[in-house]
């Protein structure tokens, strides 16, 4: 896949220059100096020879076929060069040139033309506005980067060329090794999705890393990641995560949404490991690229100092890792030689005067312990220890270890050499315990993701015809917001249980309705013009008898006449009052990139003040619905505290799946809240008390 980009037999550099200050020179020089084994054709209308290569005036003059063209001529010339590529039958092109959509409408128009031509001619494009591409296995450096990474198993793609430059420089210093290094630029054609598929198939790439600011097509991206993450870890750091995308919205769901929530949900649902920083990205990548996946979450920490051990244990506490005690046999063996001040519990503290010999004896026992699935080795450079000797002990033991090993040698000068040894031997090494724990945790979670059974998707029998009918009538009236009885009919069509209710036009009718439903009841204004009913005195709850019903009827109708004199009043709705439910909110919103998103949270202050909600992209699987309920911090309240019976979690799941189906069936729903959905005790279901739905044609 994309073979001509990463393993071409021949490359043309259009805009190759003999001026070492120009990008066209650097690209050609990089291709030649890093040992590309195929044919190289510099293209320049003026020069005869550059860097010892014969130069052709244009692509059509090249006598042989060309697999890959790299373009580094000014933006206005690019379209013409691309036409020549088409004529020459070149199907893979990297456009380094900047000056397209990133500079404004004029550049955007040029970029559109380029994209159109490429699609028409079946040419695949990387860029424009990119640094170029590197594939270490084929010794290809078709970029203007200053340097070539060492060959390894990390595939990296980035939307930012500048970040590529910085990371490459850092990687060279840290011995971080790459299989591929790709600057995506403006992503006119090839985007992160193709790169994930392509690196997924590349046998030299074991872990895929990406820096993204945006995603071109949310659904395709998720599909690619879902497929590829089954066999290779994908770790992505997302730039521009804060704030953007959140907007003024009429629903709680819309107000709490925002693009960061959408990305987090999409990553989680497609098995992508979400790194919070570039440091975490590479910290995790080092672990994935060099270590086997841990069998499970049981970690042992071996340390020569208390503080770092505690920091590591604290970080484990916040993660999915466990620190189990060692087996009795291991603890007994450790006690035989460790000083009495040592701790044989986990973290295993071999204390400050530990030498490399003590590390060796301890690690031999810990690495053999069947209860331990990975080992984190901490060292602070006391005068008693030779960090290099400990590093040698570890690299020796790592050869025969069948579990992941991570190292944290804290400090600076005295541990520098030891760290180099780890880098050269492919043992992940970190400056701080938290980084190592984060990497190991990512590995454990990734293994869980890979081993989970296929997801279950449910479809319910629903009455879409009725929903379509209601939406058509709302749109005909040039409205966006559904009024209460319309929203109720939508929920009913999707199988929700609603509180029993009747419209009453007089006090007597209200009393009759209440008697039929059974006291206590709730009474609310029924008006197409009143959306925020309780704000203007349009709702009364806990009506116990005929007298209170008479009173409520009078006050509700007078309040509305007074505060919203032009509102059309259809009457007062008398509604069954659900008394034993816990309030939750379920909502729909739409994300520009990922489409329908579903929200879940506990109602009232939990959503309004604490914003304790979970989002997922629809369609939801049964497992995802379950996950999002458990993800909220207030979940224990649903399980029941202080002797309360647990709420009906199955009913919430059912509601989430029905709402998810509704969001997918009806793209015209732009926002919706079911607020509250009152959840009864286990086995007794849930009732959708109120709903707000907004649609757009
Ligand atoms: N075919 C082949 N060669 C041509 C053609 C053509 N049709 N027309 C001109 N050339 C030659 C030129 O003669 C010149 O060669 P010379 O030095 O021998 O005269 C060479 O192509 C380059 O053309 P110049 O006009 O000199 O353009 P220059 O090299 O100054 O700039 C470039 C071209 C580098 C593509 C520039 O337009 C550009 O986009 N720079 C920014 C690139 C960039 O930042 N990309 C994003 C990177 S990501 C990041 O941020 C790090």
């Amino acid at each position: 896949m994309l073979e001509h980009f990463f393993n071409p037999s021949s490359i043309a550099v259009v805009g190759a220059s003999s001026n070492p200050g120009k990008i066209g020179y650097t690209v050609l020089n990089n291709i030649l100096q890093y040992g590309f084994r195929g044919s190289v054709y510099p293209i320049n209308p003026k020069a005869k020879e550059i860097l010892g290569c014969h130069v052709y005036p244009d692509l059509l003059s090249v006598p042989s076929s060309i697999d890959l063209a790299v373009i580094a001529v000014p933006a206005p010339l690019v379209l013409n060069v691309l036409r020549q590529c088409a004529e020459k039958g070149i199907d893979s092109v990297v456009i380094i040139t900047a000056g397209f959509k990133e500079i404004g409408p004029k550049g955007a128009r040029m970029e559109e033309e380029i994209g159109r031509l490429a699609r028409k001619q079946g040419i695949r494009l990387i860029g424009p506005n990119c640094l170029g591409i590197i594939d270490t296995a084929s010794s290809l450096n078709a970029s203007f980067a200053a340097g070539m990474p060492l060959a390894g198993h990390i595939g990296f793609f980035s939307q930012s060329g500048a970040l590529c430059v910085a990371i490459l420089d850092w990687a060279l210093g840290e011995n971080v090794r790459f299989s591929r290094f790709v600057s995506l630029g403006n992503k006119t054609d090839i985007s992160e999705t193709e790169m994930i598929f392509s690196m997924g198939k590349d046998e030299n790439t074991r872990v895929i890393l990406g820096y993204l600011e945006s995603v071109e097509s949310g659904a395709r991206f998720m599909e690619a990641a879902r497929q590829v993450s089954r066999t290779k870890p994908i770790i992505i750091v997302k730039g521009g995560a804060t704030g953007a995308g959140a907007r003024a919205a009429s629903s709680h769901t819309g107000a709490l949404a925002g693009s960061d929530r959408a990305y987090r949900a999409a990553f989680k649902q497609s098995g992508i490991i979400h790194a919070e920083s570039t440091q975490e990205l590479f910290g995790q990548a080092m672990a994935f690229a060099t270590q086997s996946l841990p069998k499970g979450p049981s970690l042992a920490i071996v340390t020569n100092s208390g503080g770092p051990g505690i920091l590591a244990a604290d970080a484990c506490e916040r993660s999915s890792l466990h620190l189990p005690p060692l087996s009795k046999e291991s603890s007994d063996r450790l006690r035989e030689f460790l000083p009495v001040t040592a701790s044989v519990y986990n973290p295993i503290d071999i204390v400050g005067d530990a030498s490399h010999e003590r590390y060796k004896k301890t690690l031999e026992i810990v690495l053999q312990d069947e209860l331990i699935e990975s080992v984190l080795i901490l060292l602070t450079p006391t005068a008693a220890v030779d960090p290099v000797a400990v590093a040698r002990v570890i690299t020796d033991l790592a050869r025969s270890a069948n579990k992941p090993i991570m190292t944290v040698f804290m400090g600076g000068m005295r541990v520098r050499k030891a760290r180099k040894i780890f880098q050269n031997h492919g043992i992940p090494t970190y400056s701080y315990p938290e980084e190592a724990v984060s990497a190991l945790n990512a590995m454990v979670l990734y293994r869980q993701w890979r081993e989970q059974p296929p997801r279950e998707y449910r479809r319910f029998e629903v009455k879409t015809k009725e929903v379509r009918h209601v939406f058509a009538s709302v749109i005909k009236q040039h409205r966006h917001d559904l009024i209460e009885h319309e929203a109720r009919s939508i929920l009913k069509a999707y199988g929700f249980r609603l509180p029993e209710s009747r419209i009453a036009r007089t006090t007597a009718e209200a009393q009759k309705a209440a008697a039929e439903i059974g006291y206590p009841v709730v009474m609310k204004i029924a008006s197409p013009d009143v959306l925020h009913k309780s704000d203007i005195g349009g709702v009364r709850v806990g009506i116990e008898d005929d007298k209170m019903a008479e009173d409520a009827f009078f006050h509700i109708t007078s309040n509305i006449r007074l505060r919203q004199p032009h509102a059309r009043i259809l009457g007062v709705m008398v509604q069954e009052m659900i008394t034993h439910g816990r309030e939750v909110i379920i909502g729909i919103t739409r994300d520009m990139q990922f489409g329908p998103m579903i929200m879940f949270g506990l109602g009232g202050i939990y959503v309004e003040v604490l914003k304790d909600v979970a989002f997922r992209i629809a369609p939801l699987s049964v497992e995802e619905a379950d996950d999002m309920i458990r993800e909220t911090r207030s979940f224990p309240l649903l399980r029941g505290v202080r002797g309360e019976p647990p709420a009906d979690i199955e009913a919430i799941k059912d509601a989430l799946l029905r709402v998810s189906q509704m969001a997918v069936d009806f793209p015209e729903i732009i926002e919706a809240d079911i607020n509250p959905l009152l959840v009864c005790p286990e086995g007794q279901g849930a009732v959708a008390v109120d709903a707000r739905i907004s649609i757009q044609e």
Side-chain angles (χ1 to χ4, degrees):
M1 217 188 158
L2 305 182
E3 186 67 9
H4 281 172
F5 282 100
F6 299 107
N7 193 15
S9 303
S10 49
I11 308 177
V13 180
V14 187
S17 167
S18 45
N19 178 348
K22 290 199 178 177
I23 287 180
Y25 174 91
T26 310
V27 173
L28 180 64
N29 193 35
N30 278 350
I31 293 172
L32 297 173
Q33 74 163 318
Y34 294 115
F36 174 64
R37 294 177 288 270
S39 319
V40 183
Y41 306 108
I43 312 293
N44 182 309
K46 294 181 285 184
K48 292 280 168 274
E49 191 187 293
I50 305 175
L51 289 164
C53 298
H54 176 72
V55 175
Y56 295 85
D58 53 51
L59 284 167
L60 300 174
S61 313
V62 177
S64 330
S65 65
I66 297 167
D67 286 347
L68 173 67
V70 183
I71 301 180
V73 295
L77 306 181
V78 171
L79 186 64
N80 213 19
V81 174
L82 200 61
R83 285 195 189 107
Q84 285 189 18
C85 289
E87 210 172 317
K88 181 74 187 158
I90 301 171
D91 61 8
S92 305
V93 174
V94 175
I95 305 176
I96 286 179
T97 311
F100 292 92
K101 74 174 172 204
E102 77 282 5
I103 61 156
K106 188 166 164 247
R109 275 195 297 279
M110 283 201 292
E111 190 168 328
E112 271 160 30
E113 269 187 275
I114 285 167
R116 218 174 300 128
L117 177 66
R119 273 191 301 281
K120 190 167 158 217
Q121 299 293 341
I123 297 175
R124 301 308 312 260
L125 291 183
I126 290 182
N129 187 28
C130 75
L131 181 75
I133 59 175
I134 294 174
D135 184 298
T136 54
S138 50
S139 304
L140 170 71
N141 185 336
S143 78
F144 68 97
M148 175 81 168
L150 299 170
H153 303 293
I154 299 175
F156 176 65
F157 63 82
S158 167
Q159 200 170 337
S160 154
L163 196 76
C164 285
V165 175
I167 282 172
L168 187 57
D169 190 51
W170 166 84
L172 287 169
E174 298 284 314
N175 273 1
V176 177
R177 294 153 185 269
F178 290 90
S179 49
R180 283 185 186 171
F181 206 86
V182 179
S183 163
L184 290 173
N186 290 3
K187 307 192 286 190
T188 304
D189 172 31
I190 291 177
S191 69
E192 52 286 337
T193 300
E194 285 83 2
M195 224 25 84
I196 286 173
F197 274 132
S198 160
M199 290 188 185
K201 294 222 160 66
D202 174 35
E203 58 187 28
N204 297 307
T205 301
R206 282 192 205 146
V207 44
I208 302 170
L209 305 196
Y211 167 79
L212 284 180
E213 286 158 10
S214 62
V215 157
E216 294 316 302
S217 154
R220 279 183 60 232
F221 169 76
M222 283 179 75
E223 188 45 41
R226 248 184 214 141
Q227 276 183 35
V228 173
S229 64
R230 293 267 163 223
T231 51
K232 284 183 195 180
I234 305 171
I235 315 175
I236 290 183
V237 66
K238 165 80 177 54
T242 45
R247 62 205 157 88
S250 62
S251 69
H252 280 303
T253 310
L256 287 170
S259 79
D260 187 40
R261 300 262 200 189
Y263 276 99
R264 282 178 189 275
F267 286 9
K268 189 173 278 174
Q269 287 172 270
S270 42
I272 293 173
I273 300 156
H274 191 168
E276 298 294 339
S277 62
T278 32
Q279 191 180 5
E280 191 172 72
L281 179 78
F282 283 95
Q284 293 176 342
M286 266 196 290
F288 278 105
T290 59
Q291 303 295 295
S292 57
L293 290 179
K295 290 202 176 73
S298 297
L299 164 75
I301 299 172
V302 175
T303 177
N304 67 345
S305 53
I310 292 170
L311 286 177
D314 286 349
C316 289
E317 185 74 30
R318 295 189 293 269
S319 76
S320 50
L321 300 172
H322 302 167
L323 295 174
L326 300 192
S327 68
K328 175 156 184 331
E329 193 202 337
S330 301
S331 325
D332 290 346
R333 284 175 64 199
L334 286 174
R335 271 195 205 96
E336 281 170 21
F337 67 89
L338 286 179
V340 284
T341 46
S343 165
V344 298
Y345 302 104
N346 198 356
I348 300 141
D349 187 350
I350 59 173
V351 293
D353 63 352
S355 64
H356 66 279
E357 280 300 330
R358 198 184 286 166
Y359 264 103
K360 181 166 187 267
K361 280 169 136 178
T362 307
L363 287 170
E364 278 169 350
I365 293 167
V366 175
L367 283 165
Q368 276 169 18
D369 192 318
E370 302 245 311
L371 301 177
I372 299 303
E373 291 158 325
S374 54
V375 181
L376 170 58
I377 306 159
L378 309 181
L379 177 143
T380 41
T382 63
V385 77
D386 173 0
V388 168
V390 180
R392 295 225 166 91
V393 162
I394 294 171
T395 50
D396 277 352
L397 290 171
R399 261 179 226 126
S400 54
N402 58 356
K403 47 192 82 165
I405 294 179
M406 310 264 182
T407 59
V408 175
F409 278 27
M410 295 180 80
M413 250 168 48
R414 285 204 60 226
V415 295
R416 200 162 292 149
K417 261 195 190 152
R419 284 204 198 135
K420 259 287 152 324
I421 293 175
F422 291 133
Q423 286 163 358
N424 292 338
H425 284 80
I427 294 176
T429 190
Y430 304 90
S431 305
Y432 299 101
E434 296 82 354
E435 297 171 65
V437 169
S438 139
L440 205 46
N441 185 45
M443 290 176 102
V444 168
L445 293 178
Y446 175 64
R447 186 178 185 122
Q448 287 169 4
W449 158 263
R450 245 168 59 161
E451 287 175 353
Q452 75 192 358
R455 316 227 119 188
E456 182 195 338
Y457 289 88
R458 252 177 228 166
R459 261 200 87 78
F460 302 92
E461 283 281 326
V462 294
K463 297 174 181 154
T464 46
K465 223 168 126 187
E466 289 183 26
V467 177
R468 218 162 276 133
H469 181 74
V470 173
F471 286 171
S473 113
V474 172
I475 285 172
K476 211 166 150 200
Q477 294 168 47
H478 306 290
R479 281 191 287 126
H480 291 299
D481 298 318
L482 273 64
I483 49 181
E484 185 165 356
H485 78 268
E486 292 165 338
R488 281 174 62 89
S489 67
I490 305 296
L491 294 186
K492 217 165 172 184
Y494 268 79
F496 279 85
R497 194 174 128 206
L498 305 169
E500 205 182 322
S501 55
R502 322 258 150 98
I503 299 253
R505 272 157 307 173
T506 61
T507 303
E509 276 182 26
Q511 288 165 333
K512 183 164 172 271
E516 280 164 11
I517 292 168
Y519 285 112
V521 293
V522 176
M523 286 170 67
K524 306 174 185 174
I525 191 69
S527 161
D529 304 316
V530 181
L531 275 182
H532 302 274
K533 295 185 277 286
S534 39
D535 294 356
I536 54 169
V539 182
R540 286 259 174 129
V541 297
I543 293 155
E544 306 270 359
D545 53 33
D546 282 0
K547 174 79 195 66
M548 282 173 84
E550 181 183 358
D551 218 44
F553 191 94
F554 173 73
H555 280 107
I556 288 172
T557 46
S558 330
N559 281 343
I560 305 305
R561 280 202 191 97
L562 193 72
R563 302 208 195 157
Q564 208 172 314
H566 301 297
R568 289 163 290 169
I569 297 178
L570 308 177
V572 171
M573 185 180 278
V574 182
Q575 200 164 65
E576 173 191 356
M577 185 159 152
I578 316 285
T579 44
H580 295 298
R582 259 161 278 178
E583 285 191 14
V584 304
I585 172 168
I586 291 179
I588 302 174
T589 178
R590 266 175 211 277
D591 180 75
M592 294 264 285
Q593 249 89 26
F594 295 101
M597 268 215 292
I598 308 301
M599 184 186 85
F600 166 76
L602 258 71
I605 57 157
Y606 297 100
V607 58
E608 277 163 30
V609 183
L610 303 176
K611 303 187 190 332
D612 180 20
V613 290
F615 278 91
R616 292 289 185 282
I617 312 289
L620 297 179
S621 67
V622 177
E623 295 79 6
E624 285 162 348
D626 195 59
D627 269 0
M628 64 193 293
I629 300 169
R630 284 164 208 278
E631 184 181 298
T632 53
R633 278 168 294 154
S634 36
F635 173 64
L637 297 176
L638 292 174
R639 249 190 338 219
V641 287
R642 297 190 183 162
E644 268 179 333
D648 196 335
I649 308 283
E650 282 306 310
I652 304 177
K653 246 195 297 188
D654 180 84
L656 280 167
L657 295 172
R658 285 175 191 274
V659 166
S660 157
Q661 182 172 330
M662 185 195 296
V664 173
D665 290 348
F666 290 96
E668 51 269 68
I669 302 178
I670 46 166
E671 257 171 43
D673 278 343
I674 300 178
N675 183 26
L677 175 80
L678 280 178
V679 188
C680 303
E682 202 166 17
Q684 296 175 34
V687 186
V689 173
D690 215 340
R692 204 179 284 174
I693 300 176
S694 305
I695 60 170
Q696 207 166 55
E697 210 169 345

